Amino acid sequence: MSLALVGATIVPSPREAPIRDGVVLIERGKITAVGNRSIVPVPQAIETIDCSGLTITAGFWNSHVHFFERKWADAAAIPAPELGQQLHDTFLRYGFTSVFDLSSMWVNTRRIRDRIESGEVPGPRIRSTGEGLVPPGGAPSEQVCNMMGLMKTPLPEIADAAQAAAASTKLLNEGVDGIKVFASSQSRVTLPESAIQAAVNEAHRLGKPAFVHPNTGADVLTALRAGVDVIAHATPRSGQWDDAILTAIRERSWLSRQLLRFGSTTCATIACRSSSRL
């Protein structure tokens, strides 16, 4: 497919000035040129769409998704039209061309990614942590999974540094793109800092990011001390963060622009400034 999008204002990235009266050339499904109409000539025989008055942006990232809903189950057997429609309705229609899955059944998520990368179905570029590491008894119950419409996914339980390192190494050897650790459970079982740090170290050894799911402000501080790259969200149920947490975040974290609002509470992804792994 050859196509020219002509006349739009193009926003190539947040760090670059918008391109007025822009042209985007697409050849065989790939973008081959982007620029002002005076710089990027439009071939005479190409199909052209007049985008005057419109805005074209680079594809968006969604850095916190989960492929653990039942609609993704047995991904190898989902008919291609159905899987493509689900990926479109969930991601592509909103402009998400890259996503980072933070805890799901890795063998199933990898099948979805393989089908996208083979060209069988259209979908976003997928990165995944595979199964998140949880404290003992930290996996959601069958009742919770049924209520939320989730697949029942066995999650690796860890209690100390040795178990965290072993579980992380296994996942990394299976090809995941990062490691996700749940710092504590709803039953108030909290991982020691050494366990989180061991998981972080294994991820960093291969140049991959480490994510932490916190439930409290104390979890956030523990995660920062352990060297995590991304704190997956805020902790609205544990109250306001105190000065110690805010200072630690200012010293080593940035707040992503992608926010999710639940009622009056804003949750966000927090990633360390020092990370070069994302």
Side-chain angles (χ1 to χ4, degrees), residues 21-42:
D21 195 22
V23 173
V24 178
L25 293 183
I26 302 170
E27 297 282 348
R28 297 179 181 178
K30 302 285 187 181
I31 295 174
T32 58
V34 177
N36 182 267
R37 197 195 304 243
S38 64
I39 299 173
V40 179
V42 179

Side-chain angles (χ1 to χ4, degrees), residues 25-175:
L25 293 183
I26 302 170
E27 297 282 348
R28 297 179 181 178
K30 302 285 187 181
I31 295 174
T32 58
V34 177
N36 182 267
R37 197 195 304 243
S38 64
I39 299 173
V40 179
V42 179
Q44 289 186 351
I46 197 170
E47 180 184 355
T48 301
I49 297 178
D50 182 6
C51 298
S52 301
L54 303 178
T55 300
I56 298 173
T57 72
F60 297 145
W61 271 79
N62 189 331
S63 56
H64 192 157
V65 307
H66 294 283
F67 286 97
F68 56 21
E69 295 171 281
R70 284 198 293 264
K71 68 180 181 180
W72 306 113
D74 197 11
I78 301 175
E82 181 180 342
L83 179 59
Q85 189 65 50
Q86 288 179 190
L87 290 164
H88 173 270
D89 292 347
T90 308
F91 304 114
L92 298 183
R93 68 179 294 197
Y94 300 107
F96 293 119
T97 57
S98 294
V99 300
F100 216 128
D101 162 67
L102 302 187
S103 190
S104 68
M105 187 182 297
W106 170 231
V107 65
N108 193 68
T109 300
R110 185 170 55 192
R111 289 193 184 108
I112 299 172
R113 182 166 76 180
D114 289 345
R115 294 182 70 179
I116 294 171
E117 292 182 350
S118 72
E120 181 188 2
V121 295
R125 179 178 295 135
I126 295 174
R127 293 173 173 84
S128 177
T129 64
E131 292 86 352
L133 312 185
V134 298
S141 66
E142 185 172 353
Q143 181 182 13
V144 169
C145 290
N146 291 338
M147 179 181 66
M148 297 182 67
L150 309 180
M151 291 184 279
K152 182 63 176 175
T153 303
L155 300 178
E157 295 190 357
I158 59 173
D160 55 35
Q163 292 177 351
S168 299
T169 298
K170 182 177 184 294
L171 284 165
L172 292 163
N173 288 342
E174 292 172 352

Side-chain angles (χ1 to χ4, degrees), residues 217 235-243 245-246:
T235 58
R237 294 182 180 179
S238 69
Q240 292 186 344
W241 288 353
D242 60 22
D243 288 342
I245 296 173
L246 298 177

